Amino acid sequence: MSQQPTTENAGSRREDSGRQPPYLYPDYVSTRLRAPEKPLIILPKTLSDTTGPAYGRGPVGELDHDLTRQHAGEPLGERIIVHGRVLDGDGRPVRGNLIEIWQANSAGRYTHQKDQHPAPLDPNFSGAGRCLTDGEGRYRFITVKPGAYPWKNHPNAWRPAHIHLSLFGEAFRSRLITQMYFPGDPLFGQDPIFQSVRDPEAQRRMISTFDLEATEPEWALGYRFDVVLEGRGATPMERA
Amino acid sequence: MGAGYTPSQTIGPFFHDALLDRDRSELVARDHRSATQIRGAIYDGAGEVVTDAMVEIWQANPAGRYDDPEDDRGDLPLDEDFTGFGRSGTETGEFSFVTLKPGPVPGPDGRPQAPHVMVSIFARGLLRRLVTRLYFPDEPDANAADPILSSIEDPALRDTLIARDEGDALRFDVRLQGENQTAFFEL
Ligand SMILES: [Fe+3]
């Protein structure tokens, strides 16, 4: 058998560097009963994971990218434009790729049934959007800046303002769900979800930058957030 | 490895309206003559059923071809109506898919892989997705020869990847921790 069993222990090659979060990060209490304990098995690249659903097929509505125009009135809060590019590890644009986002309203409340934070719901804001990247890998959403919100992870725990993003990339192996944060948030230091990424450079890659060029006068502040996904990484030998 | 990539973060508990507003759990119609139902529960380390997870699947079609330009084996048919992608929540205590059994696909060194479905699990408390594979119980010979399955030394761990035939459906329960923990992969 040419294939030796390859496994890795709790500190995997991704985690060691602190550039990806570990499964077990005890400060984030929910990881304690959900992080796997056995070593992960290294999966060699095959067509099963170098292919994948770009999922540009589900219809995307014309206003799906504009979370401020999904209801009769405008949502309350600071109107923002969130835009950027989706690239693979070699800097190539990821085209025609579905991005899905969700977020709290400007008061820090999700429309979700299970969100019991006693902040007001906004009848003009649902907080869900989607769009496809264009030929240059660019995307653009219009929304309002989400508020910080409390959670029960530890006493007086608050999530920094964030927008959740879901991306497919070009292959099964490039699938990513992440969170985009805002520059200079005072809550980073006490947030175990943000801090689960240990490497400061990698932390920085989760923080959008204020973008004066994308800011529209008298209308909305611009934030830029580029996302870098793994590519297919297939080699001819593996395509046999 | 990993230099420059955007880090992963948990899906959190509030993704349903954005990600599950459309039902993508049926890859083919229930009354398709070859429809196969797959269902399963996810258990945490305390043995509790996880009801706030999202499960996604990716698979080849019955001919063993992936619906992606990267799979350019033009001699194998593609089926326009079958994308091979599915997504299900676990609010009811189980995820559920209606799909077609995939054909065998090429593996490392050109050895064939047994029919299998790629599975991603996202949930609150998972800072990165978990990746596993579902194999089929009616393929003992192909499973025994599968290069990925046979790279797992512990037979009990290997068996966690083989679904159980329940007559009307295949059951694929996932255990996140403990002695019977499911085998998970590092891509
Ligand atoms: Fe959130």
Side-chain angles (χ1 to χ4, degrees):
Chain A
M1 177 158 310
S2 64
Q3 198 98 23
Q4 284 309 304
T6 23
T7 59
E8 52 186 41
N9 271 304
S12 82
R13 53 191 171 145
R14 279 157 197 272
E15 298 168 12
D16 281 341
S17 60
R19 294 186 290 228
Q20 290 289 351
Y23 286 109
L24 180 64
Y25 193 72
D27 287 356
Y28 175 22
V29 175
S30 295
T31 66
R32 296 179 194 175
L33 284 176
R34 295 187 169 192
E37 295 163 312
K38 295 191 179 172
L40 301 176
I41 297 149
I42 306 260
L43 194 61
K45 282 177 184 146
T46 69
L47 270 185
S48 302
D49 47 87
T50 59
T51 58
Y55 228 77
R57 299 183 187 218
V60 172
E62 206 156 300
L63 287 180
D64 283 1
H65 75 288
D66 189 342
L67 286 70
T68 69
R69 291 167 69 192
Q70 296 174 346
H71 296 274
E74 277 212 86
L76 292 171
E78 195 180 322
R79 202 184 286 114
I80 60 172
I81 295 161
V82 175
H83 78 113
R85 289 182 80 198
V86 183
L87 304 167
D88 72 13
D90 297 323
R92 286 183 302 237
V94 177
R95 305 181 169 97
N97 213 251
L98 180 67
I99 306 183
E100 295 158 290
I101 65 168
W102 65 104
Q103 64 168 96
N105 69 22
S106 61
R109 175 92 186 258
Y110 286 89
T111 52
H112 198 281
Q113 292 173 356
K114 285 193 181 148
D115 186 359
Q116 298 302 325
H117 172 33
L121 284 168
D122 184 336
N124 290 314
F125 193 73
S126 302
R130 60 170 74 84
C131 76
L132 294 179
T133 57
D134 71 9
E136 306 288 323
R138 286 184 304 241
Y139 73 92
R140 185 169 183 266
F141 288 101
I142 301 164
T143 182
V144 294
K145 189 174 177 192
Y149 60 84
W151 59 315
K152 298 197 176 349
N153 185 73
H154 58 275
N156 211 7
W158 293 78
R159 294 298 331 281
H162 62 275
I163 297 176
H164 297 264
L165 290 94
S166 163
L167 303 103
F168 287 89
E170 293 169 327
F172 179 83
R173 55 176 54 241
S174 53
R175 182 85 175 92
L176 180 73
I177 288 183
T178 188
Q179 300 181 25
M180 178 202 108
Y181 298 91
F182 291 86
D185 197 308
L187 296 171
F188 290 149
Q190 60 76 61
D191 181 45
I193 294 180
F194 179 85
Q195 293 295 338
S196 68
V197 176
R198 299 307 301 156
D199 176 58
E201 263 305 293
Q203 286 182 350
R204 200 187 46 71
R205 289 196 288 272
M206 301 189 290
I207 306 172
S208 57
T209 51
F210 171 66
D211 186 349
L212 187 61
E213 253 172 70
T215 294
E216 300 207 1
E218 323 273 317
W219 191 66
L221 293 173
Y223 287 90
R224 180 167 182 133
F225 187 64
D226 291 338
V227 178
V228 182
L229 302 174
E230 264 189 64
R232 296 183 190 275
T235 66
M237 232 194 71
E238 287 154 345
R239 301 284 313 286
Chain B
M1 189 68 186
Y5 295 126
T6 305
S8 171
Q9 294 272 268
T10 176
I11 193 171
F14 300 134
F15 57 85
H16 301 78
D17 293 346
L19 301 184
L20 295 173
D21 62 321
R22 298 173 194 173
D23 185 0
R24 293 190 173 127
S25 69
E26 297 187 5
L27 290 75
V28 291
R30 268 172 194 282
D31 59 4
H32 188 291
R33 74 192 141 75
S34 307
T36 298
Q37 185 171 8
I38 293 169
R39 61 180 175 230
I42 300 172
Y43 296 94
D44 72 10
E48 300 287 332
V49 171
V50 174
T51 56
D52 59 1
M54 182 176 86
V55 178
E56 286 181 351
I57 59 170
W58 171 245
Q59 62 165 90
N61 68 13
R65 180 148 178 214
Y66 285 101
D67 184 12
D68 181 307
E70 181 74 2
D71 187 348
D72 52 9
R73 295 170 299 155
D75 51 320
L76 298 177
L78 268 180
D79 176 354
E80 249 181 55
D81 298 325
F82 187 78
T83 65
F85 171 71
R87 186 184 263 182
S88 170
T90 62
E91 308 87 85
T92 63
E94 290 190 339
F95 58 85
S96 159
F97 294 99
V98 180
T99 186
L100 300 174
K101 183 180 167 186
V105 297
D109 314 325
R111 292 164 64 196
Q113 303 186 72
H116 65 275
V117 174
M118 302 296 294
V119 180
S120 297
I121 299 165
F122 302 87
R124 170 178 64 83
L126 290 178
L127 287 158
R128 290 192 273 149
R129 70 169 160 166
L130 286 170
V131 172
T132 185
R133 282 180 167 213
L134 177 155
Y135 286 84
F136 291 79
D138 59 347
E139 295 278 355
D141 296 343
N143 288 344
D146 181 82
I148 310 301
L149 274 180
S150 54
S151 77
I152 304 173
E153 234 166 68
D154 175 359
L157 189 60
R158 191 164 62 222
D159 282 350
T160 64
L161 300 183
I162 300 170
R164 270 189 302 130
D165 191 350
E166 285 193 327
D168 64 329
L170 292 177
R171 169 158 296 276
F172 186 67
D173 288 335
V174 174
R175 289 178 176 77
L176 302 180
Q177 296 185 349
E179 206 155 308
N180 303 318
Q181 186 204 297
T182 299
F184 297 113
F185 294 99
E186 173 89 51
L187 289 172

